[in-house]
Amino acid sequence: MPQGRTAHSHRPQAQAPHSQAARGRDARAGGGHARRRRAVAASLASAVSVCLVAASAPAVPLGIGDRLFPYLGNPGYDVLSYDIALDYPGRNDRPLEAVTTIDARLTAGLDRINLDFAHGTVHSVEVDGAPAGFTSAGEDLVITPEGHLDEGERARITVRHTSDPVAAEDREGGWVRTADGLAMANQADAAHLVFPCNDHPSDKAVFTFRVTAPDGHTVVAGGLPAGVDRTRGDATWTYRTRHPMATELAQVSIGRSTVLHRAGPHGLPLRDVVPTAHRAKLGPWLAKTPAQISWMEERAGRYPFETYGLLLADASTGFALETQTLSLFERDLFTDPSLPAWYVESVMVHELAHQWFGNSVSPRTWSDLWLNEGHATWYEALYAQERGGRTLEARMKAAYEASDGWRAAGGPPAAPEPPEPGRKADIFRPSVYSGAALVLYALREEIGRTAFERLERDWVTRHRDGTASTSDFVRLASRTAGRDLTGFLRPWLYGATTPPMPGHPEWKSEARSAAPARRPVTPAHRPGAGRE
């Protein structure tokens, strides 16, 4: 990361709503605001009194009760779409002016709407085109619309705010400042440091990004391009996703970059974003992506999204990240001569595998993270074996030997210990990477290769574009095997010690004393670590 930057934290600042004429609403909003005004006007006085008392109660932060991140997400609505407009000032140490528009369906009657947002200044808020009151509570932006919001209605929430690229104090993630601009790294709980949102993977939505940047800059975001509008001195780039996406997977790249285009399997459009000065050196690595996609499709079925590519950031992050359709990597991973080719390619496959496991099929809770990282580590290991790395069996034996230590330090794969305050990335421990891949290896040994491979394809087909849980995986595995696997899988997923490995009774695990490791914890997230 760039040196010498000042870390400070902004909280959403309560201000009087700007007086603005109500804007037109499209059919998705359904005229909810007008209906609510009529309903409030016709209500009995006692009902109005109850509503006013509720609205005058102190604003409080809410969450959906996730075991690892209880403050993330908000009850009462389902986000259908985000439209995020960002105005980049040409420097990555100054706030971007932004407008975030959220279309949501109400799943409960609400007098207030809580959004996750904790690192910017809010200028104004509208609900269905009418000014709304707002304040901050913890890491929530608490919005009070003009009238009560009824269950089943659709609402449009428009927030005018800043998005600060300078790191929040004692926080990880959000904007990444590169040598020539910005990128995003929102996993696990940092999207709300960039834009107001319902920041939990259980609430996926489609996204539109509209980013204005000065001439000389290139903008690429998740999804497909939908046009560039150029004016004197700057340009506005628009991208739209065709598939729903979790907030933690959003990606926007702004920089003096070159975009390399090529065709993937069955005509899939591929685009890679590289620092222009390193284009020639990076090109041969990026040319490997089409064959890697074909390799994954043979094992997991057709690639699930509309495009793919690599964003090679000129920044020191210490990790790679599976942002949807545009995975984030450090440039140095591809330019360090000490890294063997098989290793670099296996890191590429790790993030590619996430497009199926973690992105298309997202975790219902953060305790289900092992389904993301275990599968990505599994395919990384298979690919590395084919390209000259350790054999899968050798890697799994080593993982088995360390597994009890990992469980003692950070919890079992499906029940990781909550992170410490200020160290939210601590959930990314060895137990949810190699420890979770070890669970998949044990399952394959138990039910056989044919059934296991069928399970993998069925899993991403059944839950495509949705969310799924550990219990969903156990049920599908049982159905695939033709017998109840709950008794077999539960100790592997939740036990304090590692069960015996089917087919390898001689394998032993040592309960080593180890402090919880901070992310990155595997080769896929730390270039140079774990090489054989």
Side-chain angles (χ1 to χ4, degrees):
M1 296 181 182
Q3 300 298 313
R5 66 184 184 184
T6 302
H8 61 280
S9 179
H10 292 294
R11 291 289 180 262
Q13 298 176 4
Q15 302 179 26
H18 295 318
S19 176
Q20 299 180 15
R23 296 186 305 163
R25 299 177 295 277
D26 65 13
R28 299 189 69 174
H33 171 63
R35 291 198 306 276
R36 283 191 293 276
R37 285 203 299 187
R38 290 194 296 270
V40 170
S43 297
L44 296 174
S46 60
V48 173
S49 177
V50 170
C51 180
L52 291 175
V53 169
S56 64
V60 295
L62 300 177
I64 62 172
D66 188 283
R67 189 180 70 85
L68 299 181
F69 296 102
Y71 63 90
L72 281 185
N74 295 284
Y77 62 91
D78 172 32
V79 176
L80 305 174
S81 68
Y82 292 93
D83 188 307
I84 300 171
L86 299 163
D87 193 342
Y88 179 64
R91 290 179 51 173
N92 65 6
D93 60 352
R94 293 180 178 177
L96 291 74
E97 290 296 329
V99 180
T100 296
T101 302
I102 298 171
D103 283 322
R105 179 178 60 86
L106 279 296
T107 58
L110 297 176
D111 293 309
R112 283 180 172 149
I113 305 166
N114 279 49
L115 300 176
D116 299 306
F117 187 51
H119 193 50
T121 299
V122 176
H123 300 310
S124 68
V125 178
E126 295 176 359
V127 177
D128 289 331
F134 60 92
T135 189
S136 62
E139 295 198 353
D140 281 12
L141 171 64
V142 184
I143 299 166
T144 304
E146 184 178 272
H148 179 78
L149 303 174
D150 296 328
E151 180 179 357
E153 285 191 2
R154 295 190 178 186
R156 171 164 290 180
I157 306 156
T158 303
V159 183
R160 291 172 174 81
H161 62 97
T162 63
S163 184
D164 193 345
V166 177
E169 185 177 357
D170 298 326
R171 289 301 304 267
E172 301 168 318
W175 286 115
V176 173
R177 295 167 63 195
T178 66
D180 62 348
L182 294 171
M184 285 186 191
N186 295 332
Q187 197 179 80
D189 67 330
H192 68 283
L193 302 182
V194 178
F195 56 92
C197 57
N198 201 29
D199 198 5
H200 193 272
S202 61
D203 191 2
K204 300 167 71 170
V206 294
F207 279 70
T208 298
F209 301 97
R210 308 175 197 275
V211 184
T212 301
D215 287 346
H217 292 77
T218 299
V219 175
V220 182
L224 291 172
V228 181
D229 295 325
R230 299 188 182 277
T231 57
R232 181 176 298 178
D234 59 29
T236 299
W237 310 66
T238 301
Y239 291 83
R240 293 191 177 94
T241 68
R242 289 184 179 174
H243 298 264
M245 178 170 68
T247 51
E248 50 114 358
L249 300 173
Q251 184 58 269
V252 172
S253 165
I254 308 170
R256 299 183 183 277
S257 307
T258 294
V259 182
L260 305 177
H261 297 274
R262 60 176 52 86
H266 43 79
L268 179 72
L270 304 179
R271 80 275 193 259
D272 301 303
V273 185
V274 301
T276 299
H278 301 278
R279 172 179 178 172
K281 192 170 186 179
L282 296 171
W285 288 109
L286 302 174
K288 299 177 184 293
T289 298
Q292 292 173 346
I293 294 175
S294 295
W295 186 90
M296 275 299 305
E297 288 188 333
E298 291 173 2
R299 290 153 181 82
R302 187 140 172 159
Y303 177 76
F305 297 122
E306 63 271 26
T307 185
Y308 186 63
L310 279 62
L311 165 57
L312 308 189
D314 209 344
S316 177
T317 63
F319 58 82
L321 187 62
E322 65 273 16
T323 39
Q324 191 161 307
T325 75
L326 188 61
S327 292
L328 174 67
F329 295 84
E330 290 180 314
R331 174 185 58 80
D332 286 352
L333 172 66
F334 302 89
T335 56
D336 184 345
S338 70
L339 300 178
W342 66 262
Y343 168 74
V344 175
E345 291 185 51
S346 71
V347 176
M348 295 170 69
V349 168
H350 182 108
E351 307 308 329
L352 172 62
H354 270 308
Q355 304 302 313
W356 286 263
F357 299 94
N359 295 12
S360 180
V361 184
S362 298
R364 192 159 297 155
T365 73
W366 277 111
S367 296
D368 301 312
L369 175 65
W370 77 274
L371 289 164
N372 302 14
E373 299 300 349
H375 278 101
T377 303
W378 174 260
Y379 290 105
E380 168 203 327
L382 287 177
Y383 193 89
Q385 174 180 253
E386 293 185 11
R387 296 303 189 275
R390 274 191 298 182
T391 65
L392 177 67
E393 182 173 324
R395 184 164 174 168
M396 292 300 102
K397 183 180 180 182
Y400 191 92
E401 292 170 352
S403 179
D404 279 356
W406 293 340
R407 289 170 186 251
E417 292 181 2
E420 297 176 7
R423 296 181 61 172
K424 305 303 183 183
D426 275 356
I427 66 169
F428 297 93
R429 300 182 176 103
S431 186
V432 302
Y433 285 84
S434 295
L438 188 66
V439 175
L440 298 177
Y441 182 80
L443 178 60
R444 194 182 76 167
E445 294 292 287
E446 177 71 13
I447 68 176
R449 186 184 300 257
T450 300
F452 178 81
E453 292 175 353
R454 185 168 68 251
L455 166 63
E456 292 289 277
R457 296 176 71 93
D458 286 351
W459 175 252
V460 294
T461 299
R462 287 173 180 265
H463 298 289
R464 183 177 183 179
D465 286 339
T467 64
S469 67
T470 299
S471 59
D472 292 327
F473 187 81
V474 174
R475 280 194 296 270
L476 185 58
S478 298
R479 185 179 301 121
T480 303
R483 57 188 172 92
D484 188 358
L485 292 171
T486 304
F488 173 77
L489 284 171
R490 179 164 290 278
W492 279 98
L493 293 168
Y494 298 103
T497 59
T498 311
M501 176 61 71
H504 299 280
E506 74 282 4
W507 286 11
K508 304 297 180 184
S509 183
E510 302 174 8
R512 301 171 181 170
S513 176
R518 295 190 67 186
R519 187 188 187 198
V521 294
T522 71
H525 288 278
R526 183 175 56 193
R531 285 179 279 151
E532 302 112 0

